[in-house]
Amino acid sequence: MKSRTKAVVIGGGIAGCSTLYHLCEEGWTDVVLIERDELTSGTTWHSAAQVTNFGMTQTMVGLKSHSIALYKKLRDDPDYPVGYHHGDGGIRLANTEGQMQGYRHFASMARGMGVDYEVIDAAECARRHPLISTENLLGGLWDGEDGDIDPAQLCQALAFHARKAGADVYRHTSVTGLTQHEDDTWTVHTDKGDIDCDVVVNACGYRVNEVGAMMGVQHPVAALEHQYFVTEDIAAISEAGHRMPLLRCPISDYYSRQEKNGLLVGFYEQDCKTWGLDGISPDFSNDLCPDDLDRVMEVLEGAFQRMPVLAEVGIKRVVNGPITYTIDGAPLVGPIPGKRNAYCIIGLRAGLGEGGGHGWLLAQQIVHGEACYDTWVIDPRRFTAHATVELTALKAIEDYQNEFRFHFPHEHRPAGRPAKTTPLTPVLAAERADFTVVNGWERVDYLKPNPDFHFTPSFGFDETFDLVAAEVRNLAEHVGLTEVNGFNRIEITGRDAHWFLDRMICGTVQKREGRVGLGYLLNHHGTIKCEATIANLPASHRGPGRIWYGSAAASEYHDMDWLTANIGPDEDVHLRSLTNDQTILVLAGPKARAVLSDCARGDWSREAFPWLSVRECHIGFAPATVMGVSFSGELAYEIHVPNASLYAAYLALRAAGEAHGLKLFGARAVESMRMEKGFLHWKADLLTEFDPFETALDRFVKLDKGEFVGRRALLGRQKDEPNKRLVTLAIDTQRFPAHPGASLMQGNRVIGTVTSGHWGHRVGMNLAYAFVEPEYAETGQQMVLDLCGEHTAAEVIEKSPYDPNFSRMRA
């Protein structure tokens, strides 16, 4: 065995083999894979091995397209060919118009990635798959690239080519421990000796937390038993003259694909079963769980109705093996939170179909720091401290039970709620608040008119439309109040704090005491990494002078990792997270100053406390820190309150607001108003794929201020024409908001992609943000938006259609 290598990948399934192969493809050939048994001996060997191009985000479609292209290349390799049935086609069925709307949206979204889906009716579904019944069927989504692959051959081929490039694979070698050193390198301890390396990768399937424990982390991954059976030969298949398409059925919770001249049929039963939560036998390898077909009888009856031939054929064999899930069903591929030079590629419930792409994106992150796509949808840091194994198990069960039922916009399923709350959560619930979820936090979405009100999740405008309009109207005319919990807040101290931020932020950093500024942090490629509010708190009885770094709730682990990784060895900079200690109450509207003046001592006039100021005070008797900032475009204050005093501050604001028409508002109203102002959301509109100039943030860049992270790369990017530019669009329909991923067209050519959409209630416009080709970015440019299958006119408008001079928020 080697004693030193560049990277060690732990785990010999599809995740590990794909990572090893792609590290070699990216130029790292001095790499090692360690497997405790044989390659594919965990989950991979018993995989149903379906390879679909279907994904619900562009990143997922892109990585699956890469998998398909890679597998075709391996299939055709004369040195080590892989058995791959590509292009059998596959249908996702639907029996509701809502599902069909979703399929039309996904078809629009995939088109921007060069992938063509077809939305077909029930008769066409039956024509393409003659074994199915059209009873209770509206139609489906056709993926012509669908197929299946031999899992063992695939992994062996990936390992073969990695070895050929210079990598080493050590089988029958157990990892016994992991040690990280002061220089952030690692030693991987095994039963056959130690290997020192720069980077370690956890690719351990259902044993992920055994290796995680060796580095002091617990990953939100849980395993469930999953059963499928293979039938005897079916005459209709033998006689068809072509391979049967794959089938995925959200109506009856099963899937099927051709296996020789029979069918492989798998089940997602409601009475599903977790596996291995209390430990896994060291002897469980190349092994299965006991068969339990009684558990799937209800699902099987639905499969018989959809595919009557199943009732007439015998079962050849049954497979029941563990597969892994995360909290939201998407895998964890990327940096391990809180660790340096440590990565994971875990929770791959559909590992064979996606694994080629996951390994590709992970290898790019390891070697280059970023991937070609923004990978937040699979980033391990999207879950924070609430992501326990117990919560993961609840969400995994829920996701398993809804395997083929996609999430609708604004749909938040009930399992594992509420994970994070504040003292105000039950108070706001009593005020008839309906809640959305942000990084586990229960946040007010909108206010219900009565306790029995429920909206219907849909891709169209739903029953909350008028309710949100009323919230916005009251705020614009009077004053509104909402809670913004979970806002990421990092206290930065030390003599080099401002110098450090100046080096991290691409524009001017506000250094004056009592003032607030907005800045953008770039990665080493010159594209956008983080967005942050920087507030300079003067010294007081609460503490010395300090800086508050504020960013999106979802960025809690992400931003802490980035800041920590970039502190220089000689810099006196200290970071402390306050995210879970304080909560923001947002007071917004033309009468906000009057409400604040009625419940907080001091002079709150425009002259004494102008826009972008910060001050410590008391709201009633509750200690608070107030910032004059606005995400709504109205006069507004962020009131940061310790959670222990949050209810007291809330009561004081409500009492002071009675005379000024104060009402509550929620996140949907905020979304509407921020779009009218041209304000952007991190990981919706602010992506690592684009630099600040492409993202219309020119005014936040100061290239002549000296060195900052990403400056040289940004200068290099300026020599070339931009790939895309972010624009604001007016959409000519009142049926649908523009959904992220929807394609913008000129003729039959895709020229851009929507990132955000919402109705602007103050301007009376259906608004969207989108990245488009530069020649279509000028105001007045016309294009067509494929919105849930309807081709709708769209026009580029000014970035801020509401109060473009910012006069209202400066009032």
Side-chain angles (χ1 to χ4, degrees):
M1 264 178 56
K2 283 184 173 180
S3 60
R4 185 71 174 84
T5 190
K6 190 78 172 168
V8 172
V9 180
I10 307 171
I14 179 59
C17 291
S18 177
T19 302
L20 190 76
Y21 172 89
H22 285 98
L23 284 172
C24 293
E25 289 286 294
E26 295 298 328
W28 280 22
T29 56
D30 180 15
V31 289
V32 163
L33 183 147
I34 298 176
E35 164 55 44
R36 66 189 296 272
D37 201 317
E38 289 287 352
L39 298 184
T40 77
S41 59
T43 294
T44 301
W45 74 273
H46 61 73
S47 169
Q50 301 168 96
V51 184
T52 175
N53 221 6
F54 176 76
M56 289 180 283
T57 66
Q58 287 195 317
T59 297
M60 295 304 292
V61 172
L63 68 86
K64 291 185 178 189
S65 293
H66 175 83
S67 295
I68 290 171
L70 171 63
Y71 299 169
K72 289 166 67 177
K73 176 182 174 182
L74 295 174
R75 176 198 62 189
D76 299 335
D77 181 5
D79 291 334
Y80 209 110
V82 173
Y84 178 28
H85 299 120
H86 168 258
D88 291 348
I91 310 173
R92 292 175 184 268
L93 301 179
N95 66 338
T96 70
E97 181 54 36
Q99 290 170 318
M100 295 295 286
Q101 277 184 2
Y103 290 161
R104 294 183 190 107
H105 165 67
F106 297 136
S108 173
M109 179 269 299
R111 189 174 297 117
M113 300 300 290
V115 172
D116 290 322
Y117 301 149
E118 287 183 70
V119 180
I120 57 178
D121 62 19
E124 184 62 16
C125 289
R127 190 188 71 78
R128 298 189 187 191
H129 199 308
L131 299 183
I132 68 169
S133 162
T134 58
E135 182 181 354
N136 187 31
L137 185 66
L138 279 183
L141 184 72
W142 172 263
D143 171 14
E145 299 283 308
D146 221 332
D148 68 273
I149 197 164
D150 185 298
Q153 289 182 11
L154 171 60
C155 291
Q156 294 289 355
L158 292 168
F160 167 82
H161 288 287
R163 286 191 189 100
K164 194 174 177 181
D168 289 288
V169 176
Y170 302 135
R171 298 171 300 129
H172 303 288
T173 304
S174 295
V175 173
T176 58
L178 296 167
T179 300
Q180 189 164 31
H181 307 289
E182 288 187 6
D183 63 355
D184 294 322
T185 62
W186 292 85
T187 296
V188 180
H189 308 283
T190 81
D191 60 356
K192 295 181 179 176
D194 294 347
I195 307 179
D196 295 325
C197 60
D198 297 328
V199 169
V200 64
V201 179
N202 186 342
C204 291
Y206 52 66
R207 294 189 183 273
V208 52
N209 278 314
E210 294 178 14
V211 172
M214 296 177 189
M215 63 174 68
V217 299
Q218 186 179 69
H219 297 284
V221 174
L224 285 88
E225 293 184 13
H226 176 62
Q227 293 187 97
Y228 65 78
F229 62 62
V230 177
T231 73
E232 301 285 355
D233 288 358
I234 297 172
I237 292 178
S238 305
E239 298 164 3
H242 60 83
R243 288 183 58 82
M244 287 291 160
L246 289 82
L247 196 71
R248 297 170 182 87
C249 182
I251 308 164
S252 301
D253 297 312
Y254 83 100
Y255 62 88
S256 74
R257 68 164 175 84
Q258 185 170 334
E259 177 71 6
K260 296 184 178 177
N261 284 322
L263 289 173
L264 182 154
V265 185
F267 306 96
Y268 290 96
E269 71 280 5
Q270 297 301 296
D271 186 25
C272 53
K273 186 177 179 181
T274 58
W275 180 88
L277 294 186
D278 297 319
I280 302 167
S281 167
D283 299 324
F284 192 91
S285 183
N286 268 311
D287 211 343
L288 294 171
C289 309
D291 301 348
D292 189 6
L293 286 182
D294 288 343
R295 205 167 70 228
V296 303
M297 288 309 297
E298 184 177 349
V299 180
L300 186 56
E301 289 175 6
F304 286 165
Q305 293 172 5
R306 181 64 56 205
M307 197 177 288
V309 69
L310 290 175
E312 304 166 4
V313 66
I315 295 174
K316 188 182 295 184
R317 70 178 185 274
V318 179
V319 172
N320 184 18
I323 58 175
T324 55
Y325 279 77
T326 66
I327 288 179
D328 63 0
L332 305 176
V333 180
I336 295 174
K339 297 293 176 182
R340 300 286 299 278
N341 296 336
Y343 297 82
C344 60
I345 176 168
I346 53 179
L348 275 62
R349 72 174 188 204
L352 266 294
E354 304 172 353
H358 289 311
W360 174 56
L361 294 182
L362 179 60
Q364 290 178 53
Q365 293 178 70
I366 293 170
V367 175
H368 307 297
E370 298 285 357
C372 58
Y373 305 139
D374 190 297
T375 56
W376 183 247
V377 68
I378 55 175
D379 196 300
R381 297 165 297 186
R382 70 188 189 274
F383 304 125
T384 54
H386 66 292
T388 62
V389 170
E390 288 77 9
L391 176 65
T392 304
L394 289 174
K395 296 302 290 184
I397 290 169
E398 181 181 63
D399 206 54
Y400 185 97
Q401 293 169 333
N402 292 278
E403 175 68 28
F404 300 128
R405 286 183 281 277
F406 53 79
H407 280 79
F408 283 90
H410 302 293
E411 180 188 6
H412 296 285
R413 292 170 181 167
R417 295 182 65 186
K420 295 182 184 178
T421 62
T422 74
L424 287 188
T425 305
V427 176
L428 295 168
E431 296 266 16
R432 297 199 298 268
D434 198 53
F435 294 91
T436 185
V437 180
V438 181
N439 189 23
W441 291 96
E442 296 288 329
R443 187 177 291 181
V444 178
D445 199 22
Y446 65 93
L447 282 303
K448 298 187 287 188
N450 59 70
D452 298 324
F453 176 86
H454 297 285
F455 74 95
T456 307
S458 167
F459 280 84
F461 289 111
D462 60 42
E463 298 91 337
T464 66
F465 186 91
D466 292 338
L467 304 178
V468 174
E471 291 176 20
V472 172
R473 183 168 55 252
N474 183 76
L475 186 152
E477 296 175 357
H478 303 288
V479 61
L481 180 68
T482 196
E483 177 190 55
V484 179
N485 46 22
F487 185 76
N488 185 40
R489 185 184 296 98
I490 300 172
E491 184 178 271
I492 306 178
T493 55
R495 68 174 181 272
D496 298 319
H498 274 117
W499 163 250
F500 168 69
L501 286 172
D502 202 50
R503 192 168 55 76
M504 296 298 295
I505 290 173
C506 66
T508 301
V509 176
Q510 179 61 259
K511 298 181 177 68
R512 289 170 53 198
E513 282 193 350
R515 297 295 289 167
V516 179
L518 181 65
Y520 291 88
L521 291 73
L522 309 184
N523 56 33
H524 293 96
H525 299 276
T527 57
I528 292 176
K529 189 75 173 180
C530 317
E531 178 190 56
T533 301
I534 305 299
N536 297 301
L537 277 64
S540 71
H541 67 281
R542 299 184 193 174
R546 57 212 181 277
I547 301 167
W548 276 7
Y549 171 109
S551 56
S555 72
E556 180 183 351
Y557 282 1
H558 175 280
D559 285 15
M560 181 63 85
D561 275 359
W562 184 245
L563 294 174
T564 301
N566 281 282
I567 296 175
D570 299 323
E571 286 183 318
D572 179 29
V573 176
H574 308 280
L575 310 177
R576 183 167 71 103
S577 176
L578 303 176
T579 299
N580 298 297
D581 300 334
Q582 302 207 18
T583 295
I584 298 174
L585 296 173
V586 172
L587 185 69
K591 299 181 181 179
R593 180 177 286 114
V595 174
L596 191 58
S597 299
D598 286 352
C599 64
R601 287 187 297 116
D603 184 355
W604 296 98
S605 66
R606 177 179 177 177
E607 293 71 27
F609 193 75
W611 182 52
L612 297 180
S613 296
V614 58
R615 176 192 297 178
E616 292 178 336
C617 68
H618 288 80
I619 302 297
F621 58 80
T625 303
V626 178
M627 298 184 196
V629 295
S630 174
F631 204 46
S632 63
E634 304 290 346
L635 175 67
Y637 304 100
E638 283 185 0
I639 304 170
H640 300 243
V641 186
N643 285 335
S645 305
L646 185 62
Y647 184 42
Y650 173 80
L651 291 177
L653 288 164
R654 290 302 302 267
E658 284 185 12
H660 302 286
L662 183 146
K663 294 182 180 179
L664 298 177
F665 67 98
R668 295 203 199 190
V670 173
E671 186 72 2
S672 169
M673 292 184 288
R674 70 101 180 174
M675 298 228 31
E676 294 173 306
K677 285 301 301 167
F679 295 155
L680 309 181
H681 258 173
W682 186 72
K683 293 308 178 189
D685 319 300
L686 300 169
L687 305 170
T688 57
E689 295 173 36
F690 302 103
D691 65 40
F693 297 115
E694 292 170 316
T695 315
L697 296 171
D698 308 47
R699 70 187 187 279
F700 293 100
V701 181
K702 191 173 176 60
L703 287 170
D704 60 355
K705 75 170 194 171
E707 280 304 311
F708 56 83
V709 173
R711 178 177 179 270
R712 294 179 185 179
L714 185 59
L715 286 170
R717 292 175 66 92
Q718 294 307 104
K719 297 175 183 177
D720 300 320
E721 285 294 316
N723 294 319
K724 297 283 178 67
R725 289 197 182 278
L726 187 71
V727 298
T728 302
L729 298 166
I731 311 300
D732 188 20
T733 181
Q734 298 184 24
R735 279 174 43 78
F736 302 98
H739 298 289
S743 289
L744 290 152
M745 315 284 294
Q746 282 287 3
N748 292 323
R749 192 169 67 86
V750 176
I751 61 161
T753 299
V754 169
T755 59
S756 295
H758 210 286
W759 187 270
H761 289 283
R762 292 173 298 190
V763 297
M765 299 168 68
N766 195 358
L767 299 171
Y769 298 153
F771 280 99
V772 300
E773 293 177 1
E775 58 266 38
Y776 299 102
E778 296 301 319
T779 301
Q781 284 283 346
Q782 306 279 331
M783 57 199 74
V784 171
L785 174 63
D786 180 355
L787 190 50
C788 295
E790 295 186 7
H791 285 196
T792 303
E795 180 180 349
V796 178
I797 62 173
E798 294 295 335
K799 181 177 180 180
S800 180
Y802 181 74
D803 187 28
N805 296 321
F806 291 71
S807 59
R808 294 180 69 89
M809 54 197 292
R810 298 172 188 264

